[in-house]
Amino acid sequence: MRLSAVSVWAILVTATLASGFLATGGISAKSVATAVILIAALKIGLVIRHFMELKWVHKPFGPALSIWLVVCATILIGGYWAA
Amino acid sequence: MCAFALFFLLFSVGRAQAPDLYEASRLKLDTILGVTNTLILLTSSLFMVLAVEAARRQERTAIIRNLALAILIGLGFAVTKVIEYSAKGDAGISLTTNEFFTYYFVFTGIHFLHFIIGIGVLLLTLNKARRDPLDARFQTWIESAGCYWHMVDLLWIMLFPMLYLLRAA
């Protein structure tokens, strides 16, 4: 599905504000940590898919970015839960 | 990008070894400024996308207007970063205060360097948009500039929760 740039921006802004509220709320720290990292990963996924123009670049760049995203989210969530 | 993945790993290991120190240090950061920085970069990115779309339609006025807005709004990130770094300096917090703040200043500093380069690239693109023909070559240029600018954005999107939002369990 191709969303308009303004719609994607509105989702990104809402997700950012939601992360801020979640972090200051009374929900358990581990749930919040997992949620805010997953929200960040979702936001990055939206930026890669809808904002970045990857059609002209070397083909593996898009999948490499997606792998980078999964690795980073796993490091942060895994590191948090392992502490 | 790989360097930032390594930064995230280093930070996670450090945090696991000294959770109390990281939590006490995190509480000294201003979450409102962190959220503001994120919203600034996201909004600047939106205008970058609109500039690329205008380039596809070969609308020079719209390209220039949207690029100028992307730069102007983006510069707000520099303003809030200066405010944030100054407040840390006033509170006696520096690169050598503790491990958390070493990572904080190094990671955000390297990100800020990428941001400055991005502003330079956008200014160059704005100059090209004023003078160059809006042909396929310019289209590739502006899409490349946009790609770089969004990478600055997405690195901050992950730095923000890692530094500001991860509460101690």
Side-chain angles (χ1 to χ4, degrees):
Chain A
M1 184 175 62
R2 188 75 192 171
L3 297 169
S4 75
V6 175
S7 306
V8 174
W9 172 81
I11 294 168
L12 292 168
V13 167
T14 307
T16 302
L17 295 174
S19 291
F21 284 121
L22 269 176
T24 52
I27 307 164
S28 83
K30 283 194 170 179
S31 303
V32 169
T34 307
V36 296
I37 296 299
L38 287 177
I39 289 172
L42 173 76
K43 286 161 64 182
I44 291 174
L46 284 171
V47 170
I48 292 171
R49 181 170 161 73
H50 294 281
F51 279 10
M52 293 177 98
E53 297 289 340
L54 299 176
K55 292 186 287 294
W56 54 272
V57 298
H58 187 48
K59 269 197 168 39
F61 187 69
L65 264 183
S66 301
I67 292 167
W68 176 86
L69 175 58
V70 171
V71 168
C72 289
T74 305
I75 287 171
L76 289 173
I77 294 174
Y80 187 89
W81 279 83
Chain B
M1 299 293 280
C2 288
F4 274 90
L6 182 63
F7 292 166
F8 299 152
L9 180 63
L10 286 172
F11 187 89
S12 293
V13 171
R15 192 177 187 290
Q17 289 173 342
D20 294 340
L21 170 79
Y22 275 59
E23 178 63 4
S25 304
R26 183 191 74 82
L27 290 171
K28 291 177 181 159
L29 298 182
D30 188 335
T31 306
I32 301 289
L33 277 182
V35 169
T36 306
N37 278 334
T38 311
L39 297 180
I40 286 170
L41 286 182
L42 289 174
T43 308
S44 177
S45 271
L46 168 67
F47 284 104
M48 186 70 228
V49 173
L50 296 178
V52 171
E53 288 178 359
R56 217 168 277 144
R57 297 190 305 269
Q58 300 192 315
E59 292 175 2
R60 193 180 295 273
T61 310
I63 298 169
I64 292 169
R65 184 184 62 239
N66 287 310
L67 270 177
L69 283 167
I71 294 166
L72 274 177
I73 294 167
L75 284 172
F77 182 83
V79 173
T80 50
K81 265 287 153 243
V82 168
I83 292 169
E84 203 171 8
Y85 285 158
S86 302
K88 293 291 160 287
D90 293 344
I93 296 169
S94 72
L95 193 73
T96 55
T97 298
N98 62 35
E99 187 178 286
F100 176 92
F101 281 109
T102 300
Y103 286 147
Y104 167 79
F105 282 110
V106 170
F107 297 169
T108 60
I110 291 174
H111 176 266
F112 191 66
L113 184 65
H114 285 78
F115 165 85
I116 296 293
I117 294 168
I119 288 290
V121 170
L122 294 194
L123 284 169
L124 198 58
T125 309
L126 182 61
N127 192 40
K128 279 178 166 291
R130 282 191 181 127
R131 298 173 182 187
D132 290 2
L134 302 178
D135 53 11
R137 191 182 166 91
F138 176 77
Q139 184 68 37
T140 302
W141 176 279
I142 196 170
E143 286 181 1
S144 310
C147 195
Y148 180 83
W149 193 238
H150 299 313
M151 278 173 66
V152 171
D153 191 5
L154 65 85
L155 287 174
W156 180 260
I157 289 174
M158 200 52 103
L159 277 174
F160 164 60
M162 183 186 83
L163 292 168
Y164 293 78
L165 302 182
L166 294 188
R167 277 194 278 136

